[in-house]
Structure formats: structure tokens, C-alpha cells
Amino acid sequence: MKNENYDVESIQVLEGLEAVRKRPGMYIGSTGERGLHHLVWEIVDNSVDEALAGFCDDIEIIINTDESVTVKDDGRGIPTGIHPKTGISTVETIFTVLHAGGKFGGGGYKVSGGLHGVGASVVNALSEWLEVKIYQNENVYYQRYENGGHSVAPLEVIEKCDKNRTGTVVTFKPDPDIFKEIIIFDYDVLKTRARELAFLNKGLRIKLIDLRSDKSEEFLYNGGIIEYVKMLNENKKPIHDTIVYIENTENDIEMEIAFQYNEGYSSNVYSFTNNINTFEGGTHEDGVKMALSRVINNYARKSNILKEKDEALSIDDVREGITMIISCKHPDPQFEGQTKTKLGNVEVKKIASNIFGNGLEKFLLENPNEAKIIIEKALLASRARMAAKKARELTRRKSDLDVVNFGGKLVDCKEKDPSVCEIFLVEGDSAGGSAIKGRNSMTQAILPLRGKILNVEKARIDKALTNEEIRTIITAFGTGIGNEFDISKLRYNKIIIMTDADVDGSHIRVLLLTLFYRFFRPIVEQGHVYAAQPPLYCIKHGKTIKYVLNDDERNQYLATLSPNTKYDIMRMKGLGEMDPEELNETTMDIDKRILRKITVDDVISADASFTKLMGEEVEPRRRFIEENAIYAQNLDI
């Protein structure tokens, strides 16, 4: 039945914080793990803003035993007087009125990471209860809110305090009616961001305490982003000793840049604006990259390292092996992009280019030996790029006829709409044969892999492109690589790695993920990569057949059966030993299979993991194995 009435009564008006509870995803992104942890950062950001303003030195984040979180700071404390517009205390205004805060030109903050002024009120709205204490004017002020942000009583003074003590303490308990998926805080997720904030705000001490397990860590980096670069390069071999640091302010826009080159082949540039990770880049990153290329080329020409006949070094050449942090502090940042993590202020590009260009030019002139090392690395990258350009021609797909000439490897699907197509990268010819016969030929393509592909963490792009398996994968995906990469040309919405659940299968999967992360990172970041989850057991009872992934699932399922039920348990064969019907039913049928989505929630941690586990340096890998060997299970014997 259609509702024909559309009138004034059809328009729902949500008062106060009701809108937040009705559509929490609009304010915190999701009500899953990411949104849950986002609540903590909304409160922490307010404390960091106090630090940016020069009034806060210490922040404590405490995970309490009841899964509530306390955030303490020694800033000025939220103003406690009556607000002239609302007629209630400023504290209650901030915690119950959307877009109320000191970040809208009222002079409270020059630079702010909490941009929208909705942080405290949104956290309050999505909490079962929230308590705030303010230390100010020798008094301790207190207020409690319950049931989605409703104040229990007006702000009151509950005790006296030392005249020198100031600050804010906020404790909140996320509402389980909102966060139905997860209500447990992850210590490592909070640790990663807390450490990042400490790197980005030199001299700010951030302490993380977990009362559930007695774990605690303190982060204080007086060197700021210099120490950040040092940490990121700890599993790599730097090619010069100095971590270059450039800092300056122009038109109230402060730029900080730190970088160091290493022997690796990948570029790791991470940019931030007002402590927000702008992983989509933006004008601050564009300005720095432009200056990097311009200054290095000019220096190379003037010093005669780059001859007149030589082609100019490209931006990719000068970025090879660089680890760089760019931090911009802007009084009025404008963000764009799908996730609002791309800086769009036009004026920043020129300012960033000037500040970084002048600083880099000074460094190269004052350090000719290190300058020569950097330029020689870029020259090697340039030669490799030329070789790769020739090899890349072999990966270009000009027509459907090329598919037939993949050396008999790729068996494509008939459908041409990428949104419904998927490609299985299958370990071995035998499993590939079964997959070809067991697939849905309309939407499922099969690419059997013969052996293990090259570890691209240890090879430049030119060498990688001489590897036949890698060339085939690049051609099949259709996106190109490097400067030519275009995700809109991706031919398959799902890229599914299908390998055995043994050590060899795991190794092949890691090699493929390394390739994807280094050459096709956006396909991982945008959720196109999956790992097939073939079952470990088949349980038969009567006419019922149940596939389970692991021992725990097997035991849970058996516990649901009647004690009198007779059943048979079979351990499943490897992919190559399954016939097409078994492979389809267990691993490929979209109505029955289980896929694990590969995500990169923290790009910096992911990069460190790939470097540590797949890079040239043996010592970090050995240390990792020694520290984690006790957790290994189900190793092939």
C-alpha cells in the first residue's frame, strides 16, 4: 500500500540530541568498532586542543573495568558560568547542544582538531551515562547525564581543590542500545592513536591505562615528528644519518615536515592537518611533493650530478624510499573527498611548497654528502622507471583477445559489468582446474598461480614486472600501476585469494597481499580484496551436511545436536584435492561460502608490518618470530 499523504505531519522534527541517537552514523561514521573508539577521540581531541592552545601538558586515557572510559587533562577546564544564549551553565550547553563550543571564531582556540563543535554533545547523546568534573577557581564542579544526554541535576560544586589545579575529567559509558555489535574497547586501537597524537604534538604527555588488565603506557616525544620518522624507519636501513626537519609559519598556517630516505623502494608519506590523518592527501601534501621534485632536480643540475642530456627526475623517482611526515596546523581547514580526509584549502599548496622548498634547499647546500646520496638513489629509481616502462607495455590490455593470450592462465567471466564480477587467484593448477569447472562462468573469473610470486618488498618495480605471474595479475586487474593506476578501470569488484590453509598457502597469501599493498593499495583500502575461507570439517548426520571453518565451530555445532544423533566428521581435503562440486559448495557459491574481507584500518601499522615481515632486514623479523612463536598454532609438521 502506498501512503498518499505527504503533508506537514509527515515531517519529523528531532529535538536536541534525539537526532544523534536516531542517526548516529552521520556523526561518528558507524556504530561498530570504529564508531565506538571514535567516541574516545571526540573527548581526547578537546584536551589536545587545549594543548595546541598552550594550556595542557598531560592527558590520561583510562579504560575502566566496566568498559567506561575516563579522559583527564590539565587544561584550563571548561568554562562553568551561565551561558548568555542558553541560560544554563556553559558546561551543560557544551554537552547537550550540538555545535556549541569554543571553535567557531569566539577566540577560544586558534587551531583545533575538533572541527565541528559536536564532539562532547555527540558522545553524551550516545552514552548510557556521562560524568564531567571541572577543576577551576579552587572548586570541583560536577554534572551527570543519563539516558542519552539528559542532565540529572544542574552543574554543582562538590568539593574544593588546590588553587593551582585546573583541568577537565570526562567519564562516559557507551550505550549498548546504540552499539549493538561491540561495546568492548580495544587497547591496541587506542594505543596506536594515542602514540600518534603524542608524535604530532611534541612535548605533550599522553598516558593510556587499562584497568581491565593493568596494562599502561606513556607517550612523550619532545622531538615530535622527528621521532615519528625514526620509529617508522626502525625496521629499514636509512641511507643518510640525518632526519631532515623543516618548520615555519606563514599567514598563521604552521607547517612541520620531517623525512629520511631508506634503502627500500616504496614511498611512505603521511600527512596530517590539525592532528587529523589526511590519508587522501590534499594541498599541503601536493605543495611539499612539488617542492621535493623541484629542489632536488635544481640541485642535481647545478651540482652536475644530473647531466644536461639526462631526463629530469620524476616525482616518483625522488620519492622512492622516503619516509615523510607532513603536519599542517591551520586555523580554518576545509576538507573534501569521500571521507573528508583530504585538505582542500587552495592557499596551503603555495605556502607548503615555499616553506618546504626553502628548508630543503638549505639542507642540501649545507650537507653535500647526504645530498649526493639522496640524488644517486633517485637516479637509480629513474633508470628502473625507464626499464619498468618497457616492461609495463606487456601488461597493457588492449582488447578481449589479449585474455586468450595469457599463456592459457586467466579464464575470464562472460559478464563485463565489474560491479558483479569477481576473480579467484587460485594456488596451483589442480585447484585451478577444479575452480574453473566449479565456478559460475557468468561472473567468476579464475587465475591459477603456478608457484610463489616474487616478494615485491625486496624488489624495484622493474624487476617485479619481469615476473610473469605479476604481469598477468596486473593485466587481469586492468588498473595499471604506478602513475597509470586508475581504480575506475578495475575489472572485478571482488579479488579473492583462494589458497590452502597450510604454511605454503599462507605464504602465497602474504606475498599477494604485499603485492596488492605496494602496487595496488587503493584496492585494499576500498575493500575489494578477500580471502576465501574453505571449511576444515564436514559434519554429516542423516541427510544434513554442515561445513565448519575450525575446531571451535565444530564443537559449537556438535553441542546443538541431540545426544542420540549419529554423525560423521570428515576433515576436508586441500583445495587441489576437492572435486568441482565440493569446491563450489564449500568455497565459491555466493549463497554458501564465507569470505574474509582484507582491510587496512591503520595504514602506518600495516606498512610497518609488511616491512618487518617481508623486507630485507632480517633482525626485525627474527625478533618478531622469537616474541610471537608461543602463539603459533597448527604448524605443518
Side-chain angles (χ1 to χ4, degrees):
M1 294 286 292
K2 290 184 179 179
N3 183 1
E4 302 293 342
N5 297 322
Y6 181 66
D7 51 29
V8 292
E9 293 182 0
S10 304
I11 306 302
Q12 185 180 14
V13 178
L14 300 175
E15 299 291 342
L17 300 181
E18 291 176 50
V20 181
R21 292 182 65 81
K22 187 79 173 174
R23 296 283 185 269
M26 290 178 60
Y27 297 88
I28 60 169
S30 79
T31 54
E33 182 182 23
R34 187 185 290 263
L36 178 72
H37 291 82
H38 186 81
L39 296 183
V40 180
W41 305 124
E42 287 288 2
I43 301 299
V44 171
D45 281 347
N46 294 330
S47 299
V48 173
D49 289 340
E50 280 288 286
L52 288 171
F55 297 102
C56 174
D57 298 311
D58 289 276
I59 299 172
E60 274 190 19
I61 305 166
I62 304 166
I63 312 170
N64 300 305
T65 54
D66 63 350
E67 293 299 335
S68 65
V69 169
T70 299
V71 178
K72 298 180 180 180
D73 70 51
D74 62 349
R76 291 169 290 185
I78 300 170
T80 55
I82 299 298
H83 196 277
K85 285 194 175 179
T86 62
I88 56 177
S89 73
T90 303
V91 174
E92 188 168 348
T93 301
I94 285 172
F95 279 93
T96 60
V97 179
L98 288 177
H99 302 290
K103 304 164 188 179
F104 300 102
Y109 297 99
K110 182 181 175 184
V111 171
S112 168
L115 297 173
H116 309 298
V118 299
S121 55
V122 165
V123 175
N124 193 17
L126 301 179
S127 294
E128 185 180 331
W129 55 264
L130 181 147
E131 294 179 342
V132 56
K133 287 182 181 178
I134 296 102
Y135 294 82
Q136 199 176 84
N137 306 321
E138 298 184 43
N139 291 320
V140 181
Y141 298 83
Y142 170 84
Q143 191 167 26
R144 180 180 171 94
Y145 308 87
E146 294 179 355
N147 302 320
H150 299 284
S151 59
V152 174
L155 185 73
E156 60 179 333
V157 176
I158 57 170
E159 58 184 292
K160 304 297 284 185
C161 69
D162 184 272
K163 66 178 182 179
N164 295 319
R165 182 168 184 188
T166 60
T168 303
V169 180
V170 177
T171 303
F172 67 92
K173 176 88 184 301
D175 191 338
D177 290 338
I178 300 291
F179 298 93
K180 293 182 171 68
E181 296 176 36
I182 184 170
I183 206 76
I184 297 171
F185 287 97
D186 187 318
Y187 179 86
D188 289 331
V189 170
L190 296 179
K191 170 187 168 181
T192 299
R193 177 61 175 160
R195 182 176 61 189
E196 183 176 84
L197 285 170
F199 277 128
L200 294 168
N201 298 276
K202 56 186 172 186
L204 174 62
R205 177 184 284 104
I206 302 180
K207 189 170 186 180
L208 177 62
I209 302 167
D210 189 348
L211 296 179
R212 303 167 305 178
S213 61
D214 294 329
K215 282 195 289 189
S216 69
E217 287 176 85
E218 186 173 288
F219 306 104
L220 171 64
Y221 302 105
N222 291 318
I225 61 173
I226 295 174
E227 294 190 59
Y228 204 170
V229 170
K230 184 179 179 181
M231 185 202 77
L232 293 172
N233 269 349
E234 66 183 1
N235 294 322
K236 304 170 185 177
K237 271 189 179 175
I239 61 172
H240 55 99
D241 295 332
T242 308
I243 296 177
V244 185
Y245 176 72
I246 296 160
E247 176 187 26
N248 213 332
T249 301
E250 188 175 321
N251 295 344
D252 291 330
I253 297 167
E254 180 188 334
M255 292 297 305
E256 270 189 290
I257 307 101
F259 73 88
Q260 184 184 41
Y261 284 88
N262 58 71
E263 290 184 351
Y265 307 119
S266 58
S267 160
N268 296 295
V269 177
Y270 306 110
S271 61
F272 301 84
T273 299
N274 296 4
N275 299 318
I276 297 166
N277 189 338
T278 45
F279 57 81
E280 289 184 275
T283 50
H284 55 333
E285 195 170 311
D286 293 341
V288 168
K289 289 176 180 176
M290 184 171 69
L292 181 69
S293 178
R294 181 186 74 243
V295 172
I296 286 183
N297 270 293
N298 287 344
Y299 183 89
R301 295 281 188 201
K302 288 177 181 176
S303 58
N304 211 30
I305 300 174
L306 195 63
K307 309 297 181 187
E308 197 172 315
K309 60 181 176 58
D310 292 334
E311 182 181 311
L313 299 167
S314 73
I315 184 61
D316 285 341
D317 298 336
V318 299
R319 285 175 58 197
E320 182 182 279
I322 199 170
T323 297
M324 175 183 278
I325 300 292
I326 302 167
S327 178
C328 173
K329 302 286 171 61
H330 198 295
D332 184 25
Q334 305 297 319
F335 292 97
E336 58 183 50
Q338 188 176 2
T339 55
K340 304 299 181 189
T341 49
K342 182 177 183 179
L343 185 65
N345 298 70
V346 177
E347 76 282 3
V348 174
K349 185 174 181 178
K350 184 178 180 183
I351 290 171
S353 180
N354 287 343
I355 289 174
F356 180 68
N358 292 337
L360 178 59
E361 190 172 19
K362 184 171 183 288
F363 170 78
L364 296 177
L365 289 170
E366 292 176 354
N367 301 272
N369 292 335
E370 292 187 293
K372 185 179 179 183
I373 291 169
I374 291 169
I375 290 166
E376 284 178 347
K377 180 170 178 62
L379 283 169
L380 283 172
S382 177
R383 295 182 194 116
R385 175 172 55 86
M386 302 295 186
K389 187 177 179 181
K390 295 175 183 175
R392 193 181 283 118
E393 295 296 326
L394 299 173
T395 70
R396 289 216 174 94
R397 184 175 186 174
K398 298 181 177 65
S399 70
D400 290 332
L401 184 64
D402 294 337
V403 179
V404 182
N405 299 322
F406 269 40
K409 288 184 178 180
L410 177 69
V411 180
D412 212 350
C413 53
K414 296 173 184 174
E415 178 62 62
K416 299 304 176 190
D417 178 3
S419 67
V420 296
C421 294
E422 50 191 41
I423 184 170
F424 286 82
L425 305 182
V426 186
E427 174 189 356
D429 288 337
S430 56
S434 293
I436 290 166
K437 292 175 183 176
R439 71 183 177 133
N440 177 343
S441 62
M442 184 59 66
T443 58
Q444 293 179 330
I446 309 296
L447 180 56
L449 300 173
R450 295 168 186 169
K452 296 176 180 177
I453 67 165
L454 182 72
N455 177 8
V456 298
E457 193 70 28
K458 298 180 179 180
R460 272 199 179 94
I461 189 172
D462 57 321
K463 185 177 179 184
L465 288 173
T466 63
N467 182 276
E468 186 180 348
E469 302 289 334
I470 291 176
R471 286 208 310 269
T472 303
I473 289 169
I474 296 169
T475 309
F477 288 2
T479 58
I481 57 172
N483 288 333
E484 297 174 355
F485 181 85
D486 183 354
I487 198 163
S488 69
K489 294 181 179 178
L490 183 64
R491 300 185 61 254
Y492 308 97
N493 187 49
K494 286 187 174 71
I495 296 163
I496 302 167
I497 302 170
M498 193 158 73
T499 60
D500 284 332
D502 58 14
V503 172
D504 278 342
S506 297
H507 192 199
I508 292 169
R509 186 162 59 249
V510 170
L511 288 168
L512 285 169
L513 290 175
T514 306
L515 171 70
F516 296 164
Y517 185 75
R518 290 300 183 214
F519 284 12
F520 306 95
R521 187 181 297 184
I523 71 171
V524 183
E525 293 174 340
Q526 296 184 28
H528 293 288
V529 180
Y530 296 79
Q533 301 287 278
L536 191 60
Y537 297 106
C538 173
I539 303 172
K540 291 184 179 180
H541 54 96
K543 294 183 179 180
T544 302
I545 297 175
K546 174 71 174 178
Y547 295 102
V548 295
L549 291 177
N550 51 46
D551 291 342
D552 288 340
E553 278 196 18
R554 177 197 62 186
N555 296 337
Q556 288 172 13
Y557 182 72
L558 292 178
T560 66
L561 300 180
S562 165
N564 299 322
T565 302
K566 293 182 179 180
Y567 55 83
D568 291 318
I569 301 177
M570 294 185 297
R571 189 178 178 94
M572 296 298 294
K573 297 169 282 190
L575 295 173
E577 298 168 316
M578 289 188 192
D579 59 39
E581 291 74 20
E582 285 179 309
L583 196 58
N584 175 274
E585 187 174 1
T586 61
T587 317
M588 300 182 72
D589 187 329
I590 61 172
D591 295 322
K592 298 176 183 177
R593 72 190 183 191
I594 295 176
L595 298 179
R596 179 159 58 91
K597 192 178 215 177
I598 307 297
T599 62
V600 184
D601 285 333
D602 183 348
V603 173
I604 296 173
S605 294
D607 175 74
S609 296
F610 279 114
T611 301
K612 183 188 295 180
L613 300 179
M614 304 300 290
E616 292 280 5
E617 290 294 289
V618 175
E619 180 57 29
R621 190 155 49 248
R622 184 184 66 80
R623 203 163 51 240
F624 175 86
I625 293 170
E626 287 176 349
E627 291 170 358
N628 293 277
I630 58 172
Y631 304 114
Q633 295 179 352
N634 301 323
L635 289 176
D636 288 354
I637 297 175

